[in-house]
């Protein structure tokens, strides 16, 4: 049935009839093909320039649209109009440093940079605006201006076509722990590369971490020699997470329920990891994970990242939901990871979570927007959001350099979503700015970005991987 | 003369099996090769051995297609192991799985290999069917014919009766009796009661179900084809329910053996990873148990001198004598439940003064065992018995039990086999 819908919507006739055609997104570590251009809204683009230097990415100055710089263009119908001076070719990405934007006029500068660049933006191009956390911006006008950036970016995300994305990064500049270029590097790199293919219209937050904690900034294998535990790794998104971490050098411990063992062993063998069959809700699950790590990698070994990906759905309208259906979802999706975290966070436990380690949860757009028939699931996923926010603010974890974050996937093409009734599924695929479903690897790449040693300054955050879905946005 | 290697310990690192299926059940369409490959891949995944070259993989199947002459090697090539891992097939009826463990352990002990995988597989569903003897001979003759006329003559010799296929039978070649019929004689001889058999069968199901519930098999089994527990397991069976079944083996009033206290035909595969201590330690792999010693015995069942499945009753005393141990020196006993009465007849023989004197030539019987140490997590009556896979299932289960018990704990494995043979072994917990 999936194929029938695809056939109806993506054949040449459908294209001629004007059915929107999804663009093949740029994925992986590829940077944009065209040049990266940099502009500023208020002040100079100092932080963005420095960050690009850290990454070794060359950038040009962005063109700025003003009435004086416009050129005359003749349309096909022979009429003339004033347009911004064009770029010589396609632009790969436009980065705007708006950290110093405090006055409403600064927003005009933002428009001036964006307008010519958007006209030239290549397929799967990138728009990245960097601002500060509004509440730190100073007076009411400055706060308003910083908040305005979000309105601009979210609208631009909806305006862009052909797989291009727009995102806002908020940093701390006006606090006693200002964000540095090294803090920002992993996030800017993620947004520029194909890894962020299905992230658009979002606000990302980067704080500050001790310089010693921010490591492996430009490494292609940032998890080399590190132990990464992925639950629910036997199939779907979990399998992709395991593969992505293995690609980036990690020694992956792939965890799934014994009943999912067949898929789990295939994943583990494909990536050269180890399979750990485990019911995460069972008593002692955390101890068994730690025990496996200490046994297989030596007593001194510790976990660098644990990804709490395992989850279940037991959909039913709330009026028809009994305590078993309610409890089992909360148990697997939320309670189990709370207990496992408690165990692994014991600094004296062999095979526990390392200092400088990462905890990454998997929430859902259902947890943000709610979903009919998924009150139990939405409860568990919203719970994950609360959990990472609370743990991200925990100073004891901060002192150990441990970050806690979560992704919130939107419509991802998996075996599970393939079972959704056809009409609902097609709507899910289409009601987002990229006009297509995401792939498991898009979620995996985002999780890997959170987990990178270079992302030490990102904690307590939830990032949607939803192609700017309109659900709960 | 070059230096001889010093014998060293072979240890059990772990095991993996697929849940056992009932014949014509979940694995009805699965081949031996597919099941053995799945069991190997689960083992490789558990211990992170993808791409590793093992010293060898030894496995076998009792019911085997002629095309599967290189079954184990083919399974290795289809697995995640390094394709340069050598492999061979071995067959000793129901003793196959344990015999492969002995082979691999011996090679490790002698320093010929560092690590190897032992195992076995069987499918009662996907059994080979051969052409009848008359048809086979005619076809061979036609194939060897030098002229077309000779070929026609050879084929003309085929009679309609020759066209009936030969299906494998669970019967002894020399007696024509099924294994169950043989065992029914033994059960009668030793006076094994129906009640005792049903009690053993019920305990097997209850113990196995409890072990699955407790997650004991989380690191011993890997789901396959939607099966995540043994298909024949009946957690809710009881002595009362079993008592309602009619006997299927033996005749008349004294018949005690039913489908409930006999193992069902099954499909499945099991593997065991063995190595030197050094190999395991270098890879941070667990060391569950040490392979201590093994013995194989055979009895003359054809003349009726001894029961078909009684060979372990002879193998164990020989093994104990060599090791200077008594039957009571063990923390766990794993006696393969071909039939409940096999286990009970074997225990009865060890308790019998006459048997000790007349058959074993011993002054005193071996004595009785603490029954609470017997098949504590169930055995073949509940799990099923894919012939060649049983040895691997038992060795891995026992090794984990002994590891949990602690260093120095001891376990005895006893497996009876067609052809009047018995394969037994001792493991010691590490």
């Amino acid at each position: 049935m999936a194929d029938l819908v695809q056939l109806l919507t993506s054949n040449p006739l459908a294209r001629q009839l004007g059915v929107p055609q999804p663009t093949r997104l740029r994925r992986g570590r590829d940077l944009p093909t065209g040049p990266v251009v940099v502009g500023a809204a208020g002040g100079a683009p100092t932080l963005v320039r420095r960050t690009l230097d850290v990454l070794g990415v060359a950038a040009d100055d962005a063109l700025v649209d003003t009435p004086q710089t416009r050129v005359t263009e003749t349309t096909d119908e022979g009429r003339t109009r004033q347009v911004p001076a064009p770029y010589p070719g396609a632009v790969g990405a436009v980065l705007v440093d708006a950290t110093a934007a405090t006055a409403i006029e600064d927003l005009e500068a933002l428009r001036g940079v964006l307008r010519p660049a958007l006209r030239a933006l290549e397929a799967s191009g990138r728009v990245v605006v960097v601002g500060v956390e509004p509440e730190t911006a100073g007076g009411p006008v400055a706060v308003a201006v910083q908040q305005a950036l979000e309105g601009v970016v979210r609208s631009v995300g909806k305006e862009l076509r052909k797989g291009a994305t727009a995102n806002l990064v908020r940093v701390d500049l006006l606090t006693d722990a200002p964000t540095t270029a090294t803090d920002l590097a992993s996030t800017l790199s993620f947004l520029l590369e194909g890894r962020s293919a299905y992230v658009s219209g979002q606000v990302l937050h980067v704080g500050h971490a001790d310089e010693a904690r921010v490591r492996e900034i430009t490494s292609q294998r940032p998890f080399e020699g590190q132990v990464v535990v992925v639950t629910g790794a036997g199939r779907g998104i979990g399998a992709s997470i395991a593969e992505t971490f293995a690609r980036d050098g990690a020694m992956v411990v792939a965890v799934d329920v014994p009943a999912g063992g067949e898929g789990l062993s295939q994943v583990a063998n494909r990536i050269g990891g180890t399979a750990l069959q485990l019911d995460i809700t069972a008593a002692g699950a955390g101890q068994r994970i730690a025990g496996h790590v200490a046994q297989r990698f030596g007593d001194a070994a510790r976990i660098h990242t644990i990804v709490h990906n395992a989850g279940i759905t037991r959909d039913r309208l709330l009026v028809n939901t009994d305590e078993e259906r309610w409890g089992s979802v909360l148990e697997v999706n939320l309670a189990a990871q709370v207990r496992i975290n408690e165990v692994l966070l014991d600094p004296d436990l062999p095979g526990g979570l390392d200092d400088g380690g990462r905890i990454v949860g998997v929430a859902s757009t259902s947890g943000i927007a709610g979903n009919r028939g998924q009150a139990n699931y939405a409860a568990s996923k919203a719970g994950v959001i609360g959990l990472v926010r609370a743990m991200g603010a925990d100073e004891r974890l901060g002192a150990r350099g441990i970050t806690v974050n979560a992704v919130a996937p939107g419509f991802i093409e998996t075996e599970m979503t393939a079972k959704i009734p056809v009409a609902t599924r097609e709507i899910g695929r289409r009601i987002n700015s990229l006009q297509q479903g995401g792939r498991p690897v898009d979620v995996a790449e985002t999780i890997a970005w959170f987990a990178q040693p270079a992302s030490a300054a990102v904690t307590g955050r939830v990032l949607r991987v939803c192609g700017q879905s309109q659900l709960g946005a | 003369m070059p230096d001889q290697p010093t014998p060293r310990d072979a240890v059990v690192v772990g095991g993996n099996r697929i849940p056992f299926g009932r014949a014509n059940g979940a694995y009805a369409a699965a081949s031996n090769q597919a099941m053995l490959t799945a069991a190997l891949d689960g083992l490789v995944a558990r211990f992170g051995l993808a791409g590793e070259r093992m010293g060898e993989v030894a496995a076998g199947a009792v019911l085997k297609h002629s095309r599967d002459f290189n079954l184990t090697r083919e399974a290795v090539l289809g697995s995640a192991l390094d394709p340069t891992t050598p492999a061979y097939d071995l067959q000793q009826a129901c003793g196959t799985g344990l015999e492969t463990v002995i082979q691999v352990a011996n090679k490790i002990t002698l320093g010929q290999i560092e690590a190897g995988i032992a195992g076995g597989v069987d499918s009662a569903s996907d059994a080979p069917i051969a052409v009848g003897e008359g048809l086979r001979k005619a076809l061979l003759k036609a194939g060897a014919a030098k002229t077309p006329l000779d070929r026609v003559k050879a084929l003309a010799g085929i009679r309609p009766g020759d066209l009936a296929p030969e299906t494998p039978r669970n019967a002894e070649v020399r007696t024509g009796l099924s294994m169950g019929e043989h065992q029914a004689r033994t059960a009668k001889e030793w006076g094994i009661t129906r009640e005792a058999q049903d009690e053993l069968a019920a305990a097997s199901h209850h113990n196995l179900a409890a072990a699955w519930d407790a997650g004991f098999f989380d690191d011993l089994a890997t789901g396959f084809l939607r099966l995540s527990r043994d298909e024949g397991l009946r957690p809710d069976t009881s002595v009362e329910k079993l008592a309602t079944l009619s006997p299927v083996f033996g005749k008349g009033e004294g018949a005690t053996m039913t489908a409930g206290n006999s193992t069902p035909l099954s499909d499945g595969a099991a593997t065991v990873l063995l190595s030197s201590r050094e190999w395991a330690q270098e890879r941070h792999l667990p060391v569950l148990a040490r392979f201590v010693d093994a013995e194989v015995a055979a009895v003359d069942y054809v003349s009726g001198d001894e029961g078909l499945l009684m060979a372990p009753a002879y193998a164990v005393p020989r093994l104990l004598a060599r090791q200077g141990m008594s039957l009571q020196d063990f923390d766990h006993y794993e006696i393969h439940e071909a039939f409940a009465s096999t286990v009970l007849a074997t225990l009865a023989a060890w308790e019998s003064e006459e048997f000790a004197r007349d058959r074993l030539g011993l002054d005193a019987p071996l004595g009785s065992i603490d029954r609470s140490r017997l098949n504590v997590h169930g055995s073949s009556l509940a799990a099923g018995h894919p012939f060649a896979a049983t040895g691997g299932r038992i060795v891995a289960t026992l090794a984990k039990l002994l590891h949990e018990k602690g260093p120095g704990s001891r376990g005895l494995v006893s497996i009876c086999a067609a052809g009047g043979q018995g394969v037994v072994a001792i493991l010691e917990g590490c």
Side-chain angles (χ1 to χ4, degrees), chain A residues 146-156 168:
Chain A
Q146 286 297 326
Q147 191 64 44
L149 299 177
E150 187 175 335
V152 174
V153 166
R154 287 184 187 275
S155 300
V156 168
L168 172 64

Side-chain angles (χ1 to χ4, degrees), chain B residues 33-59:
Chain B
Q33 191 183 324
M35 291 192 287
L36 183 57
T37 307
L40 277 175
D41 272 342
L43 187 79
V44 169
R46 181 159 302 138
F47 297 108
L49 301 175
E52 284 237 25
R53 180 167 68 86
M54 308 299 296
E56 70 181 27
V57 179

Side-chain angles (χ1 to χ4, degrees), chain A residues 258 262 269 275 277 288 295-296, chain B residues 41 45-46 218 221 225 284 286:
Chain A
E262 192 178 359
N269 288 340
Q277 296 189 143
R288 278 186 55 197
Q295 156 75 239
R296 293 304 156 78
Chain B
D41 272 342
R46 181 159 302 138
D218 278 5
L225 297 183
H284 297 294

Side-chain angles (χ1 to χ4, degrees), chain B residues 205-407:
Chain B
H205 283 278
H206 296 158
N207 289 338
L208 184 70
W212 277 110
D213 286 343
F216 182 80
F217 293 109
D218 278 5
D219 57 0
L220 291 176
T222 303
F224 181 58
L225 297 183
R226 296 175 179 276
L227 207 57
S228 54
R229 284 193 179 196
D230 301 311
E231 202 174 11
L233 176 60
R234 297 281 176 274
D236 55 352
T237 195
S238 64
V239 175
E240 294 72 33
K241 281 185 190 169
L242 288 166
T244 62
L245 299 172
S246 304
V248 290
F249 298 116
K251 290 191 184 78
E253 207 135 297
T256 56
M257 290 169 55
T258 68
N261 57 39
S262 309
T263 46
L265 290 173
S266 327
D267 305 336
T271 57
V272 179
L273 175 60
L274 296 125
S275 76
S276 65
R277 283 182 192 274
E278 297 72 27
W279 188 90
Q281 275 154 10
E282 279 164 18
R283 283 162 184 75
H284 297 294
L285 293 176
V287 173
L288 300 182
R290 179 172 76 89
F291 178 86
V292 178
D293 199 359
E295 176 78 15
V296 185
V299 294
D300 176 13
Y301 69 99
V302 181
S303 70
D305 173 62
E306 183 53 272
L308 176 68
L309 301 179
M310 289 302 284
Y314 296 80
V316 166
R318 279 165 19 194
L319 180 60
L320 293 176
R322 182 161 68 236
Q323 288 295 325
M325 293 183 195
S326 80
L327 185 62
Q328 290 70 35
D329 285 343
F330 296 90
D331 300 276
H332 287 290
Y333 303 85
E334 286 288 336
I335 305 181
H336 161 49
E337 298 166 342
F339 302 89
S341 61
T342 316
V343 178
L344 296 167
T346 303
L347 294 177
W350 289 336
E351 289 167 3
S352 158
E353 295 206 4
E354 294 77 24
F355 186 82
R357 187 182 60 231
D358 301 341
R359 298 285 178 158
L360 302 176
L362 297 175
D363 298 334
L366 300 191
S368 55
I369 66 164
D370 177 349
R371 287 281 294 272
S372 70
R373 300 178 176 189
L374 172 67
N375 299 349
V376 295
H377 286 335
S379 189
S380 305
L381 286 168
H385 171 42
F387 311 117
T390 290
R393 174 186 67 76
I394 290 178
V395 168
T397 298
L398 178 61
K400 182 172 174 181
L401 278 169
L402 294 174
H403 183 62
E404 286 176 351
K405 192 90 188 169

Side-chain angles (χ1 to χ4, degrees), chain A residues 183-240:
Chain A
D183 289 327
L184 183 57
S186 76
T187 301
L188 210 52
S189 163
F190 169 69
L191 288 175
L192 286 174
E193 291 180 8
R195 290 181 285 146
S196 63
Y198 204 58
V199 176
S200 191
Q202 303 307 308
V203 182
L204 293 76
H205 304 262
V206 181
H208 174 65
D210 285 350
E211 208 167 333
R213 294 253 187 235
V214 187
R215 294 179 294 106
E216 309 285 339
I217 294 172
T218 54
S219 172
Q220 300 279 303
R221 289 171 65 82
F223 303 106
E224 192 73 61
Q226 305 283 2
V227 177
V228 173
V229 178
V230 181
T231 68
R235 63 192 192 126
I237 292 174
S240 188

